[in-house]
Amino acid sequence: QVLLVESGGGSVQSGGSLTLSCRASGPASDSYCMAWFRQVPGKQREAVATIDHTGSVTYVDAVKGRFTISQDSAKNTLYLQMNSLKSEDTAMYYCAADGTLHYGLGFSGCLSVDFGFWGQGTQVTVSS
């Protein structure tokens, strides 16, 4: 059973835009934190952007001002709007969900949670 399904990846020229979507189902849709990660072969996967149930967001410095994470709770869908794309944004992008409804007082942000659900990934290629 695939609980997170990404779409929207593709090839684009530098300066272009893409919007990634991730539809959640089952236990993955009951998540306090959701995120977009990316990975380049031979490098560690990095968190690009996170969003929590209150709408609080975080971004890695490299994408601030260019990417926007958002979610439509009614559609159980997470989005990543990517503008002004650069060749260094080329990577496999993964949607992730923590599958946790709420956290206690010790919650310190979505970057500290365990993302138990992952999508299959969607490739983004930016050519210069």
Side-chain angles (χ1 to χ4, degrees):
Q1 183 182 8
V2 179
L3 302 178
L4 293 172
V5 180
E6 300 108 332
S7 61
S11 297
V12 65
Q13 289 194 328
S14 179
S17 298
L18 284 173
T19 300
L20 305 183
S21 299
C22 171
R23 184 171 177 88
S25 61
S29 62
D30 294 328
S31 293
Y32 193 87
C33 290
M34 295 194 74
W36 288 99
F37 285 74
R38 66 185 179 186
Q39 189 169 26
V40 176
K43 293 189 176 181
Q44 198 168 10
R45 184 160 51 190
E46 69 169 349
V48 175
T50 70
I51 186 167
D52 72 19
H53 189 66
T54 70
S56 179
V57 301
T58 68
Y59 297 97
V60 67
D61 286 346
V63 308
K64 284 181 180 177
R66 300 189 297 120
F67 290 13
T68 303
I69 188 171
S70 62
Q71 60 186 1
D72 184 333
S73 298
K75 296 181 179 179
N76 289 329
T77 302
L78 180 73
Y79 302 98
L80 185 67
Q81 173 68 43
M82 305 184 293
N83 298 325
S84 302
L85 282 161
K86 304 176 181 180
S87 57
E88 51 263 45
D89 295 318
T90 295
M92 185 70 80
Y93 284 72
Y94 297 89
C95 171
D98 63 4
T100 300
L101 286 174
H102 62 83
Y103 291 94
L105 294 177
F107 178 68
S108 59
C110 290
L111 288 174
S112 64
V113 307
D114 177 24
F115 289 96
F117 297 97
W118 292 86
Q120 79 285 359
T122 185
Q123 178 68 37
V124 172
T125 302
V126 184
S127 58
S128 56

